Amino acid sequence: MHENTDLIRARIRRFVSERIAPALYRTSSPLTVSAWEVPDEPVPFAEAIQQKFSPFEVGSSWGKPWGTTWFHVTGVVPAEWSSFEHMDTRTEILVDLGFLSGQSGFQAEGLVYDPRGRIVKAVEPFNNYVPIEVAPGGLVDVYLEAASNPDVGSDWSFQPTAVGDKTTAGTEPIYRLRRMDVALLDRAVWQLDRDIWTLLGLMDELSGDLPRTSEILRALEAVVDAMDPDDVSGTAHVGRGILAPVLALPAYASAHRVVAVGHAHIDSAWLWPVRETIRKCARTFSNVLQLMDDDPNFIFACSSAQQYAWMKEYYPQLFERIRERAIEGRFVPVGGMWVESDTNMPGGEALARQLLAGKSFFMREFGVEPLEVWLPDSFGYTAAFPQIVVAAGSKYFLTQKISWNETNTMPHHTFNWEGIDGTRVFTHFPPVDTYNSVLSGEELARAQRQYAEKGASNISLVPFGYGDGGGGPTREMLAAVERTESLEGSPRVTMATPRAFFEKAESSYPHPPIWSGELYLEFHRGTYTSQAKTKAGNRRSEHLLREAELWATAASIRTGADYPYERLEDAWHTVLLNQFHDILPGSSIAWVHQVAEASYEAVRLELEDMIARALAALAGPDAADQVMYNASPFPVSGIAALSAGVRVEHETPEATAKNGGFVLDNGVIRAEIDARGLLVSLVDLGTEREAIPIDDPGNVLQLFRDTPTQWDAWDIDDHYRRNKVELLEADSVELVTASGGSVTVRVDRSFGDSTVSQEIRLEANEATLHVVTSVDWREKQKLLKLAFPLDVHADRAASEIQFGHIYRPTHVNTSWDAARFETCAHRWVFAAEPGFGVAVANDSTYGHDIGRRTRTDGGTTTTVRESLLRAPTFPDPFADRGKHVFHTSVSITSDVLGAAAAGYRLNLPLREVPGAAMEPVVVSDSPAIVIEAVKLAEDRSGDVIVRLYEARGSQATGSISFGFDSGEITETDILERLVERHAIVSNEKRGVRVKLRAFQLVTLRISRR
């Protein structure tokens, strides 16, 4: 046979595009349109239909950026369509809002209502039909709420754009209404189109030398030969008949098994504000519900309790329809978290609350507890997460994002992920490499080809559906599932819930490989630093929440004061929302971060008020003396952990001028600041050990060119290090205070269009030097780091993560080490050698890099650098410009617990208020057993909940005692449900004796008598 495969393929594709696609609808008729443009923010249906609608012509422009236009669509289904009633047809409205080509979302969208206000379905670029039950001659009457969301750079050229800020986005219309018709879908032609699409996709993936490839090719060619190009509708059955036996051939017995899960990854904010996410959810969920009406086998999984909560608040009728399908088991809550959060930067308690809030919502509203944590798109995963997942009662974890690694490829797709404490969670990483699959032949073949566990297991999950405003799964995708359930040459595809997948995968793979430690994403490293004010708001809010709960619990126990359950829950929900993986990481448009920063300020005011009320209750009406409240789990300035007392006064440190600089000495450490404002010496006076290398000063601000190859707000690329300027010269260095128990040197610098002012402070009786850096940042595409070279021989350094810390190498022996050139730490990092170490703590910084070099004298310098600020230009062209304040401390300590104490001290400053000394509500007598949270139980029983963890990284035993008359003391999970006792070894008079493994997380529930 002569070779003409390419010509045949071209002929088939042309026949589909020129003959079959135009025949999908037998006929259509234009509808009448009138419109009302909403002046500002969106309004509900009931308000919109009361407005005056004006006639609107198809072809007219509409919609300013971020605007809303309501279209009233009316007309008549042509009576002559009754001649088609004996055929397999369906009456639909077809809408083209002026959709941009090539993108499923990221642009205009619409939501259709009937005249009674019931949501019918949404319209999006690749899902633009609305089924209607109107007979020929009947009336069409619907309202369409159209959102004119601008396309914020979906071509991924990463060019600066003004449309991400509502105030600069403009007011001119950006869309043109192209179509508003009633049309008649020819189901037979549509089914034929799906048959051909499936077989073409399969054929393109099969090897050309396979008989199956030629079989498909010749069958498709026969369809083109047999069908009448001028009567596609009348001969569609002929084409389907030719393809039926080809589609009927079963899959190979060894074919990869794919579990397809309907899904729509809707970012809770990103290139659109939160208010638009709420509407995106309503649109997508309405599509899903409509598909469920059409297909009883369709299953859809949706994470993020926040998105369901929005539906309950803003679309209650839609929420009730969701509830019905959720109870049926078809609209499946997954993940169990409040949002799909970042996991690198949220604190340990915040990640616990993500699961507490999310699971509680799902259990309360639907009677469902998700057992799988679902985070396909977050930018790497903390090594603390396995323990948190299991402690919340979950069993499984799914992610996709690690496939974006720039350097190394993950060796597993199904594995046990082991956390810092040894807890393991069964994890799946879909080999399809997308969480927005359309179930194409290319995607299914990729899932089978890339699956790393071949020979040991043979099942993977594919999330399918358009996300981010694309409308979720489509009827075309469901047709793909049907056709690939058992199709020769293709993986076997079945639709099921995530739970069903994990149970099958786990049972078929009883001894999976183990990945220990963090799932570090070798990409998007700039997200640890971008949008510094958002990150500062998160850090401040987390610690204010800790204080508010602690002191409110104490006030409730000691004085009977009301515990502010609702106010605390509202504050937590705001903070949890802002930990979404495109808000806290700083990768959203300006509007998103403006709203986030305003919400953090509102949370701050609320929590400060709660704290003030609790402390006032504890002080009583006659309080006159000033006392200090210490919310840290470590003693501070002589005040015990979690208590109140009078600060122990010490002599003010000495300050001596030297060569244009100053020497600060408090009898514990001695720091020398030179005439440039640099730290040239830091000595532990107890041992006379110097922490700063000779001729390599600390407190050096370093400015780098920051022009990543792509993904501006997301990425720091390793080539940034090649363009460094050290800001060594100072405008002024002066002693500004030497009283009140501390001494401060002020250093002013200027560079480019920016200025920096630093206050270097030494307090009495502390082995800590404080550096407060105030920056008026006016740079563009620059990275500002604060460097501290240390005379410490450290082949690894500790970075605080949730409920513990992780050691990362300071060398670059392997490609995995080299790729980890920018890392995330919470309140502190610690570089040490046996018997001596230095902790660098911060109050809002997450991005760090720690490296080492060998000096000419043979010694080792370990350099710790904090990443303070970036200035990316996409998606927010003015990201981070403005004024910022960063508090850093440098402490000499021999133990990692000293670093932990410094981190808490910096983030939980003492509060001075009128009152009296107060004993703590809970006490740990082991410094390694750290009390992270004290609160009242969620069930409002009045029981006290105490969350604690082992912080040194070794086994610890200690007593936990309570400053109130306690009853039964039990261990619980994060959801405060009774679990088997593992940590409690015995009861004691005022508490319990506990034994914790390294980094173990424990939740205690204490009843009150």
Side-chain angles (χ1 to χ4, degrees):
M1 183 180 291
H2 295 293
E3 169 57 40
N4 59 353
T5 297
D6 290 342
L7 288 175
I8 296 173
R9 288 176 187 245
R11 181 184 178 218
I12 294 165
R13 294 185 189 282
R14 184 172 182 182
F15 185 79
V16 170
S17 64
E18 292 187 359
R19 302 296 179 172
I20 293 179
L24 289 171
Y25 287 87
R26 293 191 66 95
T27 185
S28 65
S29 177
L31 294 166
T32 301
V33 183
S34 58
W36 171 65
E37 184 176 6
V38 182
D40 191 17
E41 285 296 282
V43 300
F45 172 85
E47 181 178 342
I49 62 171
Q50 300 301 317
Q51 309 305 315
K52 181 180 179 180
F53 283 68
S54 301
F56 194 92
E57 296 295 327
V58 171
S60 299
S61 297
W62 70 278
K64 63 187 176 185
W66 304 115
T68 300
T69 301
W70 282 83
F71 294 111
H72 188 194
V73 182
T74 58
V76 177
V77 177
E80 58 267 27
W81 288 9
S82 60
S83 62
F84 300 117
E85 287 185 332
H86 66 286
M87 300 179 182
D88 189 9
T89 59
R90 179 176 181 171
T91 305
E92 299 177 345
I93 298 173
L94 291 183
V95 182
D96 186 342
L97 294 172
F99 297 127
L100 309 174
S101 62
Q103 285 286 347
S104 61
F106 302 97
Q107 53 181 293
E109 307 166 49
L111 185 61
V112 176
Y113 294 77
D114 71 15
R116 299 167 298 168
R118 186 181 190 274
I119 293 172
V120 181
K121 184 184 173 295
V123 290
E124 293 93 3
F126 299 163
N127 193 350
N128 67 331
Y129 71 94
V130 182
I132 55 174
E133 299 293 332
V134 180
L139 298 178
V140 177
D141 188 357
V142 298
Y143 290 86
L144 191 158
E145 180 198 31
S148 47
N149 301 328
D151 179 6
V152 186
S154 71
D155 62 351
W156 310 123
S157 62
F158 310 105
Q159 295 303 305
T161 173
V163 299
D165 185 335
K166 186 180 176 184
T167 63
T168 61
T171 58
E172 293 299 312
I174 58 174
Y175 290 102
R176 188 179 300 276
L177 183 66
R178 293 201 191 103
R179 187 175 192 182
M180 193 72 76
D181 292 348
V182 62
L184 204 60
L185 176 71
D186 190 321
R187 294 183 199 253
V189 176
W190 185 87
Q191 294 284 2
L192 173 64
D193 181 64
R194 293 298 90 203
D195 292 344
I196 295 173
W197 183 86
T198 299
L199 289 171
L200 273 174
L202 174 59
M203 180 179 69
D204 287 345
E205 296 304 313
L206 295 176
S207 174
D209 60 359
L210 287 176
R212 176 64 165 164
T213 308
S214 298
E215 179 183 48
I216 295 172
L217 181 70
R218 297 304 172 184
L220 291 171
E221 183 183 32
V223 169
V224 177
D225 289 341
M227 288 184 62
D228 183 348
D230 297 320
D231 185 15
V232 171
S233 180
T235 56
H237 69 283
V238 175
R240 295 207 73 201
I242 293 170
L243 297 181
V246 183
L247 287 164
L249 291 175
Y252 306 132
S254 60
H256 185 62
R257 289 177 293 154
V258 165
V259 173
V261 176
H263 176 244
H265 180 75
I266 305 176
D267 288 298
S268 290
W270 181 26
L271 303 181
W272 49 85
V274 166
R275 71 90 151 143
E276 196 54 36
T277 306
I278 297 169
R279 300 203 294 177
K280 286 178 183 287
C281 290
R283 297 176 197 123
T284 295
F285 297 166
S286 69
N287 289 342
V288 167
L289 292 168
Q290 187 273 324
L291 275 182
M292 287 181 175
D293 291 341
D294 287 351
D295 188 339
N297 297 316
F298 175 43
I299 293 170
F300 177 76
C302 176
S303 68
S304 302
Q306 172 70 87
Q307 295 183 355
Y308 292 83
W310 282 330
M311 297 304 97
K312 184 177 182 181
E313 179 178 359
Y314 296 102
Y315 299 90
Q317 292 183 0
L318 191 68
F319 180 75
E320 289 306 316
R321 292 163 62 190
I322 292 171
R323 189 201 302 273
E324 290 176 11
R325 295 302 192 188
I327 292 171
E328 266 182 18
R330 296 177 61 201
F331 200 117
V332 183
V334 294
M337 298 178 74
W338 190 249
V339 297
E340 290 186 14
S341 76
D342 179 76
T343 75
N344 289 310
M345 290 172 284
E349 189 61 24
L351 283 184
R353 298 302 177 92
Q354 286 282 356
L355 286 155
L356 171 61
K359 281 197 164 192
S360 295
F361 181 92
F362 291 138
M363 294 165 70
R364 181 173 63 250
E365 297 294 339
F366 308 130
V368 171
E369 180 183 2
L371 297 185
E372 59 290 304
V373 173
W374 183 278
L375 291 177
D377 192 36
S378 299
F379 308 146
Y381 305 91
T382 171
F385 208 40
Q387 179 175 206
I388 296 170
V389 168
V390 172
S394 295
K395 297 177 61 179
Y396 309 115
F397 177 63
L398 178 138
T399 180
Q400 179 69 68
K401 200 68 173 185
I402 305 300
S403 67
W404 287 43
N405 273 6
E406 288 182 311
T407 304
N408 297 285
T409 300
M410 277 288 293
H412 315 301
H413 285 109
T414 302
F415 55 96
N416 272 331
W417 180 22
E418 181 180 87
I420 54 173
D421 72 308
T423 299
R424 295 176 180 176
V425 61
F426 189 79
T427 297
H428 184 63
F429 168 35
V432 71
D433 273 3
T434 180
Y435 42 80
N436 300 305
S437 173
V438 298
L439 298 174
S440 66
E442 177 188 5
E443 291 169 339
L444 296 176
R446 182 167 66 240
Q448 177 170 269
R449 181 176 63 252
Q450 294 189 167
Y451 186 59
E453 321 307 319
K454 294 184 185 76
S457 180
N458 195 29
I459 184 171
S460 70
L461 184 146
V462 173
F464 70 91
Y466 296 125
D468 287 337
T474 65
R475 58 186 176 188
E476 289 78 13
M477 298 173 197
L478 299 187
V481 174
E482 179 184 356
R483 285 159 176 76
T484 54
E485 184 175 0
S486 181
L487 177 63
E488 184 186 346
S490 169
R492 295 177 181 268
V493 180
T494 57
M495 196 149 25
T497 66
R499 174 90 57 93
F501 161 76
F502 274 108
E503 289 173 349
K504 287 181 182 178
E506 188 176 35
S507 65
S508 70
Y509 203 13
H511 304 293
I514 297 164
W515 180 272
S516 183
E518 65 185 329
L519 290 171
Y520 176 84
L521 179 63
E522 297 171 354
F523 205 41
H524 292 357
R525 303 167 183 90
T527 59
Y528 311 144
T529 304
S530 296
Q531 298 286 0
K533 288 183 179 178
T534 297
K535 290 171 169 59
N538 175 73
R539 181 75 68 83
R540 178 183 61 194
S541 298
E542 288 181 341
H543 288 81
L544 286 174
L545 279 160
R546 172 194 172 93
E547 284 195 83
E549 290 183 336
L550 170 64
W551 302 130
T553 300
S556 177
I557 291 171
R558 299 278 165 77
T559 73
D562 290 338
Y563 189 81
Y565 291 101
E566 289 85 2
R567 296 178 73 188
L568 284 167
E569 182 176 69
D570 288 346
W572 267 116
H573 284 174
T574 298
V575 172
L576 297 180
L577 168 61
N578 286 335
Q579 290 175 343
F580 177 73
H581 67 255
D582 276 308
I583 302 179
L584 180 54
S587 49
S588 290
I589 58 174
W591 190 353
V592 171
H593 292 287
Q594 292 162 5
V595 171
E597 288 160 23
S599 70
Y600 281 132
E601 177 60 13
V603 164
R604 184 189 70 81
L605 294 173
E606 272 288 284
L607 293 173
E608 289 286 5
D609 181 66
M610 286 183 244
I611 292 167
R613 290 173 181 267
L615 296 184
L618 288 166
D622 302 322
D625 297 332
Q626 293 293 111
V627 297
M628 310 298 290
Y629 281 84
N630 176 21
S632 168
F634 293 91
V636 176
S637 298
I639 300 168
L642 314 181
S643 72
V646 178
R647 183 200 295 265
V648 177
E649 297 295 339
H650 298 276
E651 291 185 10
T652 299
E654 296 179 358
T656 307
K658 180 181 178 181
N659 298 328
F662 298 92
V663 177
L664 313 180
D665 188 327
N666 65 0
V668 181
I669 60 173
R670 182 177 64 244
E672 182 177 345
I673 314 300
D674 72 3
R676 301 170 296 173
L678 305 179
L679 179 64
V680 295
S681 177
L682 184 65
V683 177
D684 176 5
L685 295 177
T687 63
E688 289 297 321
R689 171 67 186 265
E690 173 66 71
I692 304 297
I694 297 173
D695 296 328
D696 199 358
N699 189 40
V700 177
L701 289 164
Q702 298 176 339
L703 192 66
F704 298 86
R705 189 173 81 186
D706 186 15
T707 52
T709 305
Q710 56 183 338
W711 298 102
D712 289 38
W714 293 258
D715 285 358
I716 291 177
D717 291 347
D718 62 349
H719 56 70
Y720 86 88
R721 296 177 287 192
R722 301 172 197 162
N723 294 273
K724 177 179 72 174
V725 175
E726 294 193 326
L727 308 176
L728 301 178
E729 300 306 316
D731 299 335
S732 64
V733 179
E734 59 181 335
L735 183 69
V736 293
T737 60
S739 62
S742 67
V743 59
T744 303
V745 173
R746 177 175 174 139
V747 181
D748 292 326
R749 305 181 195 278
S750 56
F751 58 94
D753 296 321
S754 304
T755 58
V756 178
S757 178
Q758 290 184 307
E759 291 189 351
I760 305 171
R761 186 177 76 251
L762 183 63
E763 297 187 355
N765 205 44
E766 283 190 357
T768 299
L769 184 70
H770 295 268
V771 181
V772 178
T773 303
S774 300
V775 187
D776 188 356
W777 182 242
R778 303 296 169 184
E779 304 308 300
K780 178 181 177 181
Q781 294 183 311
K782 295 291 189 292
L783 168 63
L784 183 66
K785 283 179 173 272
L786 180 60
F788 291 94
L790 306 172
D791 190 0
V792 174
H793 181 78
D795 61 353
R796 61 178 189 165
S799 295
E800 188 193 30
I801 61 173
Q802 300 87 347
F803 302 123
H805 56 269
I806 187 171
Y807 283 102
R808 299 183 178 108
T810 57
H811 57 70
V812 288
N813 283 357
T814 71
S815 60
W816 297 87
D817 299 330
R820 207 179 286 112
F821 59 81
E822 183 82 3
T823 58
C824 183
H826 283 201
R827 292 167 291 208
W828 55 266
V829 297
F830 180 59
E833 57 191 48
F836 181 84
V838 178
V840 179
N842 71 84
D843 73 337
S844 62
T845 301
Y846 295 93
H848 293 76
D849 74 282
I850 305 174
R852 67 175 185 175
R853 66 178 181 84
T854 300
R855 303 189 299 267
T856 56
D857 65 2
T860 300
T861 295
T862 300
T863 300
V864 173
R865 296 195 297 195
E866 297 178 330
S867 298
L868 300 184
L869 286 165
R870 300 185 67 218
T873 58
F874 181 85
D876 177 1
F878 301 104
D880 282 320
R881 310 320 192 270
K883 296 181 179 180
H884 305 266
V885 179
F886 305 93
H887 191 167
T888 303
S889 70
V890 183
S891 303
I892 294 178
T893 175
S894 62
D895 185 66
V896 73
L897 291 181
Y904 278 106
R905 168 71 177 86
L906 203 58
N907 286 270
L908 290 165
L910 296 174
R911 286 182 178 270
E912 186 172 13
V913 296
M918 185 195 79
E919 293 298 314
V921 170
V922 57
V923 174
S924 166
D925 72 355
S926 169
I929 300 176
V930 173
I931 295 167
E932 182 63 15
V934 180
K935 61 185 284 288
L936 293 190
E938 295 290 306
D939 62 9
R940 306 195 180 189
S941 62
D943 289 357
V944 176
I945 301 296
V946 175
R947 192 134 35 238
L948 46 87
Y949 69 99
E950 195 287 319
R952 179 179 276 126
S954 61
Q955 190 179 105
T957 302
S959 294
I960 309 298
S961 56
F962 304 101
F964 57 90
D965 193 7
S966 60
E968 184 181 16
I969 303 171
T970 59
E971 293 182 42
T972 74
D973 64 8
I974 286 173
L975 274 64
E976 301 171 11
R977 302 174 296 194
L978 182 67
V979 297
E980 186 178 348
R981 283 170 60 144
H982 290 290
I984 298 175
V985 295
S986 63
N987 292 325
E988 297 182 333
K989 185 176 181 180
R990 294 186 59 82
V992 289
R993 188 79 174 163
V994 296
K995 181 179 180 181
L996 274 61
R997 66 179 182 272
F999 300 125
Q1000 184 177 354
L1001 172 64
V1002 175
T1003 303
L1004 300 178
R1005 182 177 187 131
I1006 307 97
S1007 65
R1008 291 155 55 193
R1009 289 180 176 153

